[in-house]
Amino acid sequence: QKEVEQNSGPLSVPEGAIASLNCTYSDRGSQSFFWYRQYSGKSPELIMFIYSNGDKEDGRFTAQLNKASQYVSLLIRDSQPSDSATYLCAVPTGANSKLTFGKGITLSVRP
Amino acid sequence: KAGVTQTPRYLIKTRGQQVTLSCSPISGHRSVSWYQQTPGQGLQFLFEYFSETQRNKGNFPGRFSGRQFSNSRSEMNVSTLELGDSALYLCASSLGTVKLETQYFGPGTRLLVL
């Protein structure tokens, strides 16, 4: 099993809908989790990080962490066409500055 | 505060050549990590430098090397280029001393090997 998996995608939702992006990880000892957004032709930019079980909200974005089930998800409420991008889940593995990324989920928001 | 900068932005090389990419981190950041991004493999960690020392290393062959200077700027070198080295090379900087810290990515260098 890969360390970080993002299996669903590509994902297409209509404008205004909730987009749900999922990520599973294999290392039970993982403490923190990052969601990055990458527009086509651009570099990744951090959206949120989470390290406690439960939900963390920031504007239209909510990160959810379930350590028992080893998954972390990102919900985007009121999706906008400008949210169309690839979303990458990342987990620090080994030392802090080594991030292991999932393959990403490409989200398309239809106007 | 200026962000992470990378030069050059685009590069075309032929097989067998070598290439050097440069990364200037955010002011005050001492850690620079390098990643390779390809459509097939996604984002993969190459190595990390902190205070001029390689602190972490990914699973890449010895043709990939790097270094960091006293001003925290970093370079990575790829020798004997192969077609499969065509990729977007990203560097990310962070303080390097704080747990759960954020890495900030530069715009990347897109390398095409012919």
Side-chain angles (χ1 to χ4, degrees), chain A residues 25 28 30-31 33 51-53 65-71:
Chain A
Y25 59 94
R28 281 197 173 275
S30 296
Q31 297 292 312
F33 307 86
Y51 56 88
S52 298
N53 258 341
L65 174 60
N66 184 320
K67 288 188 177 181
S69 300
Q70 294 178 246
Y71 80 79

Side-chain angles (χ1 to χ4, degrees), chain B residues 4-97:
Chain B
V4 180
T5 58
Q6 290 185 247
T7 57
R9 294 293 309 280
Y10 303 93
L11 210 47
I12 300 175
K13 292 286 188 178
T14 56
R15 276 182 300 172
Q17 288 186 309
Q18 73 156 13
V19 67
T20 299
L21 312 181
S22 181
C23 172
S24 292
I26 291 170
S27 178
H29 285 190
R30 292 162 62 192
S31 169
V32 174
S33 298
W34 288 90
Y35 294 85
Q36 180 196 66
Q37 187 174 35
T38 59
Q41 298 299 317
L43 259 168
Q44 293 185 287
F45 175 81
L46 281 156
F47 32 66
E48 182 229 356
Y49 285 86
F50 177 79
S51 290
E52 302 179 65
T53 301
Q54 186 180 87
R55 193 162 66 167
N56 289 299
K57 190 176 187 306
N59 297 321
F60 278 79
R63 300 185 297 107
F64 292 82
S65 62
R67 59 178 176 168
Q68 187 179 35
F69 302 94
S70 58
N71 62 358
S72 294
R73 188 177 71 86
S74 177
E75 289 182 346
M76 69 162 277
N77 183 276
V78 188
S79 62
T80 320
L81 284 165
E82 299 177 0
L83 295 179
D85 297 332
S86 294
L88 178 65
Y89 290 88
L90 293 158
C91 78
S93 82
S94 62
L95 291 169
T97 57

Side-chain angles (χ1 to χ4, degrees), chain A residues 2 31-32 34 36 38 41-46 49 51 88 92-103, chain B residues 31 33 35 37 40-43 45 48 55-57 88 90 94 96 98-103 105-107 110:
Chain A
K2 289 192 181 297
Q31 297 292 312
S32 56
F34 297 82
Y36 281 83
Q38 186 173 25
K42 301 293 186 183
S43 59
E45 57 177 330
L46 181 72
F49 70 88
Y51 56 88
L88 300 157
T93 51
N96 279 334
S97 296
K98 177 182 176 181
L99 288 176
T100 297
F101 284 83
K103 290 284 183 72
Chain B
S31 169
S33 298
Y35 294 85
Q37 187 174 35
Q41 298 299 317
L43 259 168
F45 175 81
E48 182 229 356
R55 193 162 66 167
N56 289 299
K57 190 176 187 306
L88 178 65
L90 293 158
S94 62
V98 179
K99 204 170 169 62
L100 302 181
E101 62 176 343
T102 300
Q103 291 189 31
F105 283 85
R110 191 166 294 280

Side-chain angles (χ1 to χ4, degrees), chain A residues 20-82:
Chain A
S20 176
L21 312 170
N22 298 315
C23 171
T24 59
Y25 59 94
S26 60
D27 184 359
R28 281 197 173 275
S30 296
Q31 297 292 312
S32 56
F33 307 86
F34 297 82
W35 281 100
Y36 281 83
R37 176 177 62 198
Q38 186 173 25
Y39 291 112
S40 180
K42 301 293 186 183
S43 59
E45 57 177 330
L46 181 72
I47 300 175
M48 295 185 72
F49 70 88
I50 185 169
Y51 56 88
S52 298
N53 258 341
D55 296 359
K56 179 181 178 182
E57 190 173 312
D58 184 0
R60 295 185 296 110
F61 298 93
T62 300
Q64 299 175 318
L65 174 60
N66 184 320
K67 288 188 177 181
S69 300
Q70 294 178 246
Y71 80 79
V72 57
S73 60
L74 180 70
L75 300 179
I76 306 175
R77 290 183 302 282
D78 189 23
S79 295
Q80 301 296 308
S82 58

